[in-house]
Amino acid sequence: MIKVTAIETGKARMKTAQRTGRDERGPVGRKIDIFRDPNWVDPLPILCFLIEHPEGRFLVDTGDTWRNSVPGYLPGWNPFYRQVSIRVAPEEEIGPRLRDMGIDPARDLSAVVLTHFHHDHTGGLDHFPHTRIIGPRENYAVSTGIRGMMMGCLPQRWPVWLDPELVVPDGPAIGPFPGSWPLTNDGRISLVPTPGHVAGHCSVVVQGDDVAYFIAGDATYLQDNLHAERTDGVTNDPATARATLRAIKTFATQQPTLILPAHDPDCAVRLATKAVFA
Ligand SMILES: [Zn+2]
């Protein structure tokens, strides 16, 4: 029995031009579009996903932290952070959320998997000082130092103990994905490469009992954008991002699949109703 649960850990707001980039625009043009865009999308959930599997409980992403709602937490020199707005109450962080579900974040998880190292996926890491933390090596490499700080990561805010197990998805192909990194011995949970939103981004594929779950991180912000093959406004590599969307669509047409992006407001309903991608 495998169960996947969406856990909302506060809200994020972004410009419409961040959620959906213009197809004809390159990486720089997309960022200009975000700065010029006066329109904000409605607040979006910041989601983590709990996978309960016979080999253990696994958490995908950790959300953001209430500290990000406090002036001074985000570096003022980076104007990009004025294009996003994070609202997380202390009790909305992933640690309290898990405790509300009867799960002790310090003891009850086998591993935490990060799809990528953006701040709204790593902000809850403080709750897991003794847990195995797994993340994609290629994305970690572009997420540290000044480079990472320019690109939406806050390495200066990561817990001092953070020493993630960095993995490369060079294992068996899964459907359209050329490689994978199996998380469980039975191969039913794997990381697959979904680059584009950022270099080295990975998604998590869960082969459930009746459907597959595609925990997409930020490979797409919205199932509708996946349908339309619309890439986001922050990608530095729109062509790669588009190829990733096509691969996810191919996967989801090869077997009944629930698409679960980290900021898609419909994930909880999609899980409750088993609304597969079609
Ligand atoms: Zn991201």
Side-chain angles (χ1 to χ4, degrees):
M1 175 76 180
I2 290 176
K3 187 177 175 198
V4 175
T5 307
I7 305 172
E8 183 174 323
T9 59
K11 299 279 192 194
R13 293 185 77 202
M14 61 175 75
K15 300 285 191 68
T16 59
Q18 176 173 345
R19 182 156 72 177
T20 311
R22 282 156 60 192
D23 289 337
E24 70 277 17
R25 295 286 256 174
V28 175
R30 285 166 190 248
K31 282 159 194 87
I32 292 170
D33 289 345
I34 292 172
F35 279 90
R36 286 184 177 160
D37 185 358
N39 299 312
W40 294 77
V41 302
D42 290 336
L44 301 172
I46 305 172
L47 298 174
C48 310
F49 291 92
L50 178 70
I51 310 166
E52 296 171 88
H53 178 283
E55 293 178 33
R57 291 192 183 93
F58 302 91
L59 183 73
V60 180
D61 290 328
T62 68
D64 216 316
T65 166
W66 70 270
R67 292 175 294 150
N68 201 342
S69 308
V70 178
Y73 178 79
L74 293 171
W77 53 263
N78 186 339
F80 185 77
Y81 286 119
R82 289 193 281 280
Q83 313 305 314
V84 294
S85 165
I86 301 292
R87 286 292 174 269
V88 181
E91 65 274 15
E92 291 179 310
E93 286 194 2
I94 186 62
R97 286 291 199 216
L98 288 169
R99 276 191 288 274
D100 288 347
M101 299 165 68
I103 294 169
D104 181 347
R107 298 170 188 275
D108 293 343
L109 295 179
S110 298
V112 169
V113 178
L114 300 173
T115 57
H116 63 306
F117 287 83
H118 273 163
H119 61 84
D120 53 327
H121 299 252
T122 58
L125 280 172
D126 300 271
H127 296 287
F128 308 103
H130 305 297
T131 306
R132 186 180 174 204
I133 311 286
I134 295 164
R137 178 177 293 278
E138 187 186 346
N139 181 252
Y140 183 80
V142 296
S143 300
T144 58
I146 295 288
R147 184 180 185 185
M149 291 183 215
M150 303 269 298
M151 302 291 293
C153 304
L154 297 174
Q156 72 276 36
R157 303 290 188 191
W158 292 346
V160 290
W161 49 258
L162 183 65
D163 183 18
E165 181 180 336
L166 298 175
V167 304
V168 178
D170 57 1
I174 293 181
F177 300 101
S180 68
W181 189 84
L183 178 62
T184 51
N185 293 322
D186 67 358
R188 291 178 71 175
I189 308 178
S190 296
L191 277 70
V192 293
T194 48
H197 171 70
V198 284
H201 185 287
C202 281
S203 297
V204 178
V205 173
V206 181
Q207 293 292 345
D209 301 309
D210 45 3
V211 294
Y213 302 85
F214 197 92
I215 302 174
D218 291 350
T220 183
Y221 285 132
L222 203 61
Q223 177 165 281
D224 287 348
N225 282 3
L226 175 65
H227 256 296
E229 298 181 13
R230 300 290 307 276
T231 54
D232 65 38
V234 293
T235 178
N236 284 328
D237 190 348
T240 296
R242 199 167 295 118
T244 284
L245 295 182
R246 292 194 179 122
I248 297 171
K249 284 176 79 175
T250 300
F251 177 89
T253 51
Q254 288 173 344
Q255 65 244 281
T257 301
L258 297 181
I259 302 293
L260 301 172
H263 302 291
D264 188 328
D266 295 330
C267 283
V269 169
R270 203 168 290 149
L271 279 163
T273 60
K274 291 264 170 91
V276 299
F277 186 83

